[in-house]
């Protein structure tokens, strides 16, 4: 057990140092070092100005009471191959090897 703890010590120290570095950078950026805060304030000011210039005169119409709505269970599968491949690559990165333990999958 002591060997295991001794082997984990460098990983814990490294994790602690990376966390401290990340916090130091975050605090430094929040204090305005590198003009991060001033850039955020500029973006906020520009967004406020753009929203004030929007036309707020919106006219709504009533929904027709006799409208017939229906749903469908079909879908167009174009483009799903890319999503499937990206999802599989992501899961392969996160989960190494087979998720299920041997013997847990019963095929009938």
């Amino acid at each position: 057990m002591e060997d295991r703890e001794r082997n984990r010590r460098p990983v814990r120290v490294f994790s602690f140092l990376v966390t401290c570095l990340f916090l130091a950078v975050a605090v430094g950026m929040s204090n305005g070092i590198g003009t991060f805060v001033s850039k955020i304030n500029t973006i906020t000011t520009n967004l406020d100005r753009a929203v004030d210039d929007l036309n707020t005169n919106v006219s709504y119409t009533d929904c027709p009471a006799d409208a017939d709505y229906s749903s469908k269970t079909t879908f167009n599968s174009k483009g799903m191959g890319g999503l499937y491949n990206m999802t599989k690559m992501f899961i392969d990165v996160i989960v190494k090897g087979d998720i299920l333990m041997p013997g847990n999958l019963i095929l009938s």
Side-chain angles (χ1 to χ4, degrees):
M1 188 70 168
E2 290 179 20
D3 290 337
R4 193 172 181 184
E5 288 296 320
R6 200 172 304 141
N7 290 339
R8 288 184 182 180
R9 189 171 295 138
V11 174
R12 289 181 180 170
V13 170
F14 178 74
S15 296
F16 176 74
L17 292 175
V18 167
T19 303
C20 289
L21 177 66
F22 178 77
L23 289 174
V25 169
V27 168
M29 290 176 70
S30 68
N31 286 336
I33 296 174
T35 65
F36 179 76
V37 174
S38 64
K39 288 180 182 178
I40 295 295
N41 288 337
T42 303
I43 291 171
T44 303
T45 304
N46 290 341
L47 282 174
D48 287 341
R49 194 175 314 133
V51 169
D52 288 339
D53 292 342
L54 290 176
N55 183 5
T56 56
N57 298 327
V58 179
S59 60
Y60 295 97
T61 58
D62 291 329
C63 180
D66 60 348
D68 184 28
Y69 298 101
S70 63
S71 63
K72 299 177 183 176
T73 58
T74 60
F75 68 95
N76 188 351
S77 62
K78 288 183 180 178
M80 294 302 289
L83 177 63
Y84 171 79
N85 291 334
M86 286 181 9
T87 304
K88 183 166 178 6
M89 286 190 312
F90 177 77
I91 290 174
D92 288 343
V93 168
I94 301 298
V95 180
K96 302 292 183 194
D98 195 8
I99 296 174
L100 299 174
M101 294 187 302
N104 282 349
L105 184 61
I106 300 173
L107 299 173
S108 52

